[in-house]
Amino acid sequence: MTICAVPLCKDADMRPASPGRPSADDLLVLLAVGRSGRFVTAAEELGINHTTISRRIAALEQTLGGRVLTRVTGGWELTDLGRAALAAAEAVESAVKSLAADAGGNLEGVVRVSATDGFSAYIAAPAAAEVQRRHPKISVEIVATTRRASQQRSGLDLEIVVGEPQVHRATATHLADYCLGLYGSREYLREHGAPATIDDLARYPLVYFIDSMLQVDDLDLASSFVPAMRESVTSTNVFVHVEATRAAAGLGLLPCFMADRHADLVRVLADSVTVTLGYWLVARTETLRRPEVAAVVTAIRAMVADRRDTLLGRPR
């Protein structure tokens, strides 16, 4: 993750800041740690070693007269004093970037996004491509995973999760709703027939998530209307659900925006089986203020708006 265009001094015994006046370099170190939540990650980003990170944070705390970071599981979180110092650090970074910017004012940096498999492929990826076209110096890393929102968010700038999350020291905003429906392959339905009522579903196997490994409550509840259906092929990956359904493994409970792409899949019981879930974006408030992150969020929101009907399983 690119933090600043100005290199930091790598000398551990650099001249100390004036009493009560923090060093700009120390503030930029705090900025890196505050965004990543880890000393090691911040050290890699800034090109200095872990020991120097610790020393600069200690020097900043001595100058400010209090703790700027507190230890949490898996990393570090900003204290109230740390968040106040971070605002100053962001001002330093903004000033440096404005001096270093080229004539076109291009943004630069690395933005790491975590999202579910389907969202990663069909929303985040094209949004990232649009960001790249507009700002070639921004690199977007997409981590595809289906899980609850992290409480530490170490190493992540943005998380897109299913269902409204309960998060600590972060902002959660609703992005969009999407629908799940029951689908069968044309081959499967020719052989077994299509269900006419929900009661008929007891005769069909279900393709869905592995129940014991599912971490998202809303996805778990989504299949509660079909308790009588036995499990067929199950997986932690929704693309496996789609392909298993296409291969006639049973009826798949699939995101409509993924299943409707395939002409060999037919939606069944569309009037009675429609599960609406929500995508939520989670990020630290200070992370959202970074121009390169804001550019990615803007692109994701635009992509979601453009594909709203598709997400909801409505023909366009």
Side-chain angles (χ1 to χ4, degrees):
M1 185 181 301
T2 301
I3 299 297
C4 181
V6 173
L8 297 178
C9 174
K10 296 177 175 60
D11 184 358
D13 298 320
M14 66 179 295
R15 183 173 56 193
S18 303
R21 182 180 300 172
S23 157
D25 280 338
D26 292 347
L27 287 171
L28 290 173
V29 167
L30 177 66
L31 189 62
V33 176
R35 286 173 175 171
S36 68
R38 301 185 64 188
F39 280 16
V40 172
T41 304
E44 291 174 353
E45 292 164 359
L46 297 176
I48 56 182
N49 60 46
H50 181 280
T51 302
T52 302
I53 292 283
S54 299
R55 187 176 290 115
R56 289 189 182 279
I57 293 297
L60 181 61
E61 291 180 334
Q62 184 175 8
T63 301
L64 297 178
R67 298 292 302 275
V68 294
L69 294 170
T70 184
R71 189 68 146 153
V72 296
T73 303
W76 298 87
E77 286 280 359
L78 294 164
T79 64
D80 289 340
L81 178 60
R83 283 191 290 277
L86 196 78
E90 289 173 331
V92 171
E93 181 190 47
S94 177
V96 171
K97 283 188 173 181
S98 68
L99 291 173
D102 59 30
N106 286 338
L107 301 177
E108 63 178 290
V110 179
V111 180
R112 181 172 292 173
V113 181
S114 168
T116 62
D117 298 305
F119 192 99
S120 292
Y122 296 128
I123 302 294
E130 178 62 25
V131 170
Q132 260 285 299
R133 284 191 288 271
R134 293 175 178 270
H135 306 285
K137 293 183 180 180
I138 294 181
S139 175
V140 182
E141 299 177 350
I142 301 174
V143 181
T145 182
T146 302
R147 64 184 183 190
R148 297 186 184 94
S150 168
Q151 291 303 314
Q152 276 75 50
R153 283 167 294 286
S154 296
L156 293 173
D157 298 305
L158 302 171
E159 288 183 279
I160 289 89
V161 298
V162 175
E164 183 175 3
Q166 301 298 316
V167 291
H168 178 60
R169 291 180 177 174
T171 299
T173 55
H174 180 259
L175 276 178
D177 288 331
Y178 75 103
C179 283
L180 301 176
L182 273 178
Y183 290 81
S185 71
R186 294 186 186 278
E187 175 188 349
Y188 182 85
L189 294 175
R190 275 197 302 268
E191 181 178 351
H192 299 277
T197 67
I198 288 182
D199 290 339
D200 290 343
L201 292 177
R203 298 190 290 109
Y204 296 83
L206 177 68
V207 178
Y208 196 55
F209 286 98
I210 302 172
D211 184 65
S212 62
M213 299 181 68
L214 189 55
Q215 300 182 33
V216 180
D217 293 340
D218 283 33
L219 289 172
D220 191 22
L221 292 172
S223 62
S224 61
F225 70 95
V226 287
M229 294 182 74
R230 67 185 187 280
E231 290 184 342
S232 174
V233 176
T234 58
S235 173
T236 58
N237 187 300
V238 71
F239 283 98
V240 175
H241 304 169
V242 172
E243 293 307 314
T245 304
R246 296 181 69 197
L251 298 181
L253 183 57
L254 308 175
C256 296
F257 71 91
M258 296 179 67
D260 290 344
R261 291 171 170 264
H262 301 284
D264 57 336
L265 289 179
V266 178
R267 189 171 179 184
V268 299
L269 299 178
D271 292 335
S272 51
V273 180
T274 298
V275 181
T276 303
L277 302 176
Y279 283 125
W280 288 72
L281 184 145
V282 182
R284 289 187 173 96
T285 302
E286 57 268 19
T287 299
L288 292 170
R289 291 198 293 264
R290 287 165 49 199
E292 65 271 27
V293 174
V296 173
V297 172
T298 297
I300 288 175
R301 289 190 179 280
M303 194 64 59
V304 162
D306 180 65
R307 302 187 179 185
R308 193 171 306 279
D309 286 343
T310 303
L311 288 168
L312 293 172
R314 298 170 181 165
R316 299 187 65 174

